[in-house]
Amino acid sequence: MSLTRRTFTSLALGAPLLGQEKPPAPALTPEEQEGLATIRTFVRFVVAPTTVTDEDGRYVSDIQPHEFRLVDRGKEQKLRVDLAFQPLEIVVCIQANNTVEPVLDKIKQIGPLLENLVLGEKGQAAILAFDHRVRTMQDFTNDGALFKKALAKINAGSTTSAMNDAVVMAARMLRNRPADHRKVVLLIAETRDKGSEAKTRQALLDLQFGNIAVYSVNINRLVTSLLTKAQPPRPDPLPVGARHLPAGALATPETISQQTGIYNGNVVPLAVEILRQVKSIFVDNQLEVFTKFTGGTERSFLTYKDLERVIADIGQELHSQYLISYSPNNTEEGGFHPITVDVLRTGLKVRTRPGYWMAAIPQ
């Protein structure tokens, strides 16, 4: 039996005989101290960034801690409430495929907005661009000059838009950032994924487990469809005389286009986009899923002034939030924990993350 093991046993189980003085414990070398058993207790804290607005949408900043009430899976919790002060860690994911080329120049001007309006004094941001690839244009920094250089290097790429893959990479990057910092993904993209290997469910789980909020700045697909440069025309697979036309109509490329809606072998892109927009009324888009289930919001823009206003509003919200933290009193209940936050005032709107996942911790 080693000296280290003997020492641990005597400390844990030994007791002096009656009437005898307990001998002093021998001094241990650093090597022997490393061999001693160490018992650690882990306490799970949940952080719920919470936004409070009045009926006119103005942020309310005078709520007192005792006015908040949080329920975790049906059980009220003991809270700690602070104004948002933890530094921000943001990954900006920018769609950079051929369809967003008409608005890409506007997006590439957001460097000063990020630096001044969103990050604050100690925040840092990274920039990703995605089409069929996901490229790291700039790792985490708060240097505005580096933001500008990274954004200037973004060019429109392929026809693919791997949004889910970009979100998964952003979540992995944020996983390695300081645990006491708030983590945000800012998505500047259209509302649909096109060509990702990752599924929406996988990306959402990565966000949930990483305590990451998603804010989106939506690019209008109808606008990009009208302004996007047409792809090189494909040859019509059927000869001119092989298509059925009304009696007396001349079989020319122009008349075939008028009758079939096919121009040089390509269906009119705007008509296709209108059909997709109608269908999307009944199907949740990826951006809505990401923002709704992480406590963020969706916004959209058409002009650069709109974009500037939207990013400024996101920055104001992030710096106006209350940070509610607590140690759950129901850790034995594994699975998804839905949470609700209420304020003991009338006429206010409260928004926070809908919940979190937790493995059961035996009592």
Side-chain angles (χ1 to χ4, degrees):
M1 184 177 290
S2 68
L3 173 61
T4 301
R5 182 64 59 84
R6 285 200 304 271
T7 303
F8 177 76
T9 304
S10 65
L11 290 173
L13 302 176
L17 296 176
L18 184 62
Q20 291 183 346
E21 186 177 354
K22 182 178 178 181
L28 301 180
T29 66
E31 291 76 15
E32 290 170 340
Q33 291 176 0
E34 289 179 1
L36 292 177
T38 302
I39 300 174
R40 294 184 176 92
T41 301
F42 294 93
V43 179
R44 170 68 188 262
F45 278 92
V46 176
V47 178
T50 301
T51 302
V52 182
T53 57
D54 61 18
E55 294 178 344
D56 297 321
R58 293 185 295 251
Y59 299 107
V60 180
S61 59
D62 63 342
I63 309 295
Q64 300 302 309
H66 68 270
E67 296 182 87
F68 285 97
R69 179 176 180 270
L70 185 146
V71 176
D72 179 317
R73 216 175 193 183
K75 296 182 179 179
E76 188 168 352
Q77 305 292 321
K78 184 177 180 181
L79 307 178
R80 173 181 174 179
V81 181
D82 298 297
L83 281 175
F85 64 91
Q86 283 99 333
L88 287 166
E89 303 284 344
I90 301 177
V91 178
V92 184
C93 299
I94 299 173
Q95 181 176 331
N97 65 351
N98 72 312
T99 61
V100 301
E101 186 174 8
V103 297
L104 199 54
D105 284 342
K106 297 183 180 70
I107 297 171
K108 290 160 71 171
Q109 300 177 48
I110 67 171
L113 300 178
L114 287 176
E115 183 182 14
N116 298 326
L117 301 176
V118 178
L119 292 181
E121 186 177 346
K122 297 182 179 179
Q124 295 200 16
I127 298 175
L128 303 181
F130 64 93
D131 50 359
H132 66 284
R133 309 153 294 172
V134 181
R135 296 173 289 160
T136 303
M137 309 304 298
Q138 174 60 53
D139 206 348
F140 286 97
T141 183
N142 57 6
D143 188 333
L146 294 179
F147 291 149
K148 185 176 181 180
K149 289 180 181 179
L151 292 166
K153 292 187 292 186
I154 299 177
N155 294 311
S158 65
T159 59
T160 305
S161 173
M163 181 195 303
N164 289 345
D165 292 344
V167 171
V168 169
M169 179 177 284
R172 290 173 181 170
M173 294 173 67
L174 288 167
R175 188 182 306 163
N176 298 322
R177 305 305 294 170
D180 60 343
H181 291 192
R182 285 187 297 154
K183 299 173 182 180
V184 174
V185 171
L186 177 61
L187 265 171
I188 304 177
E190 294 178 316
T191 56
R192 67 168 183 264
D193 177 272
K194 187 167 63 173
S196 282
E197 294 183 7
K199 303 300 183 184
T200 302
R201 181 177 182 274
Q202 176 190 343
L204 186 59
L205 284 175
D206 285 350
L207 294 169
Q208 287 275 1
F209 281 112
N211 293 326
I212 301 166
V214 175
Y215 287 80
S216 72
V217 181
N218 300 358
I219 301 173
N220 191 296
R221 297 206 309 254
L222 281 175
V223 172
T224 55
S225 296
L226 286 170
L227 300 178
T228 300
K229 295 178 182 178
Q231 295 293 306
R234 294 171 294 175
D236 193 335
L238 297 178
V240 173
R243 291 192 178 276
H244 176 74
L245 294 173
L250 296 176
T252 65
E254 288 73 19
T255 55
I256 291 174
S257 296
Q258 293 171 2
Q259 294 293 326
T260 63
I262 298 175
Y263 292 79
N264 292 323
N266 298 305
V267 179
V268 181
L270 181 59
V272 173
E273 189 56 51
I274 291 173
L275 292 176
R276 286 175 178 160
Q277 292 278 37
V278 172
K279 183 180 178 181
S280 70
I281 295 173
F282 307 98
V283 179
D284 285 342
N285 62 65
Q286 270 89 352
L287 293 183
E288 182 181 8
V289 172
F290 291 149
T291 56
K292 179 179 179 181
F293 288 96
T294 63
T297 58
E298 280 188 279
R299 293 169 170 85
S300 60
F301 76 98
L302 290 176
T303 66
Y304 179 73
K305 285 189 176 181
D306 290 338
L307 180 60
E308 189 176 37
R309 174 185 51 78
V310 163
I311 293 182
D313 190 43
I314 292 174
Q316 184 180 3
E317 175 172 333
L318 290 173
H319 293 287
S320 301
Q321 290 176 328
Y322 297 87
L323 295 184
I324 298 177
S325 59
Y326 64 99
S327 180
N329 57 20
N330 50 359
T331 55
E332 75 283 358
E333 302 174 7
F336 185 74
H337 280 230
I339 62 177
T340 57
V341 177
D342 295 315
V343 176
L344 302 180
R345 292 190 194 181
T346 59
L348 299 182
K349 297 180 180 179
V350 181
R351 188 181 72 253
T352 190
R353 57 189 295 194
Y356 62 96
W357 290 92
M358 184 176 69
I361 303 176
Q363 297 298 306

